[in-house]
């Protein structure tokens, strides 16, 4: 269902990126949900695993959309909107490294395309919630306030607990629109309409 060409190109890109990112940022950087999605999408594409693609889409599509809005707004105006992509304009980071980080632009596109080709697996939300419950504590224990992986040390004056709760709420918010974009979206919309009519 997924042609071999995109699988090969994506795999080669990830194989090239990993050692460079490891040297630049260290292994803790790969605890970011976006980096987890970047890596896990390789087996998801080769295995054509709808469950794994669904989990990754739930995990990062919403936040990747925010990243892209912030990035292109900054690119067009020279001002940061919410700061998610601020490092892309940091001259202290080599331009080549920042160029590799443009994977944030194509990652959500590939995930949504994967959902379109493979369909949405409704088990994805539950399994991704379980993954988040594992990743967030490790992000807190293995990173520091400067790295602030997955914002577990807070954003602004918020605490790690505030952001753990926010991550769960955002996962719920992303689950519904993601299902609308999936291959079984018509049946989901029909089911949703039925629930509204019956009051359930």
């Amino acid at each position: 269902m997924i042609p071999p060409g995109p699988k090969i190109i994506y795999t080669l890109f990830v194989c090239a990126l990993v050692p460079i990112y490891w040297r630049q940022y260290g292994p803790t950087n790969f605890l970011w949900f976006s980096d987890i999605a970047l890596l896990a999408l390789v087996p998801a594409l080769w295995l054509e695993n709808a469950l794994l693609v669904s989990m990754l889409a739930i995990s990062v599509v919403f936040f990747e959309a925010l990243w892209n809005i912030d990035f292109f707004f900054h690119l067009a105006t020279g001002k940061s909107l919410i700061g998610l992509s601020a490092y892309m304009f940091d001259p202290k980071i080599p331009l080549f490294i920042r160029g590799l980080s443009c994977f944030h632009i194509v990652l959500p596109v590939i995930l949504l395309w994967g959902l379109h080709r493979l369909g949405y697996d409704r088990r994805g939300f539950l399994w991704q919630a379980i993954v988040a419950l594992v990743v967030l504590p490790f992000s807190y224990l293995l990173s520091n306030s400067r790295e602030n992986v997955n914002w577990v040390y807070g954003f602004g004056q918020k605490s790690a607990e505030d952001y753990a709760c926010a991550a769960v709420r955002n996962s719920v918010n992303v689950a519904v629109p993601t299902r609308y974009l999936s291959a079984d979206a018509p049946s989901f919309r029909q089911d949703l309409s039925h629930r509204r009519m019956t009051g359930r």
Side-chain angles (χ1 to χ4, degrees):
M1 298 180 68
I2 296 179
K7 297 177 182 178
I8 295 172
I9 294 172
Y10 184 82
T11 302
L12 291 175
F13 172 76
V14 172
C15 289
L17 178 143
V18 168
I20 298 172
Y21 256 43
W22 187 289
R23 184 174 57 187
Q24 176 72 22
Y25 298 115
T28 307
N29 187 76
F30 291 98
L31 285 173
W32 280 100
F33 284 113
S34 57
D35 289 83
I36 292 174
L38 177 76
L39 299 177
L41 189 54
V42 173
L45 290 176
W46 284 102
L47 298 174
E48 299 189 356
N49 189 305
L51 173 59
L52 191 50
V53 172
S54 300
M55 291 170 59
L56 301 177
I58 289 171
S59 175
V60 302
V61 164
F62 175 76
F63 294 103
E64 293 297 318
L66 290 181
W67 188 96
N68 276 275
I69 291 171
D70 185 64
F71 174 74
F72 285 108
F73 181 86
H74 197 154
L75 196 64
T77 67
K79 298 179 180 179
S80 179
L81 188 62
I82 53 179
L84 284 179
S85 65
Y87 65 93
M88 293 291 286
F89 303 91
D90 185 353
K92 296 179 183 178
I93 301 175
L95 183 61
F96 176 68
I97 300 295
R98 286 181 279 158
L100 288 176
S101 295
C102 286
F103 78 82
H104 290 284
I105 299 173
V106 299
L107 180 60
V109 176
I110 297 175
L111 286 170
L112 293 177
W113 176 69
L115 283 178
H116 173 72
R117 297 300 296 260
L118 302 174
Y120 175 77
D121 191 316
R122 298 185 181 189
R123 298 172 297 169
F125 175 72
L126 174 61
W127 283 105
Q128 182 53 40
I130 294 173
V131 170
L133 290 175
V134 174
V135 171
L136 288 174
F138 274 103
S139 299
Y140 184 79
L141 293 172
L142 299 179
S143 70
N144 53 51
S145 58
R146 182 180 59 82
E147 296 170 329
N148 198 15
V149 173
N150 292 317
W151 306 303
V152 291
Y153 280 88
F155 194 77
Q157 300 301 315
K158 293 185 178 181
S159 66
E161 290 79 7
D162 292 331
Y163 263 81
C165 293
V168 174
R169 290 197 303 270
N170 286 331
S171 296
V172 174
N173 292 335
V174 172
V176 173
T178 300
R179 292 180 70 175
Y180 270 103
L181 292 168
S182 67
D184 66 343
S187 63
F188 173 66
R189 288 194 292 269
Q190 184 178 7
D191 177 63
L192 185 60
S193 298
H194 174 71
R195 292 186 182 185
R196 286 175 175 171
M197 293 177 63
T198 59
R200 294 186 292 173

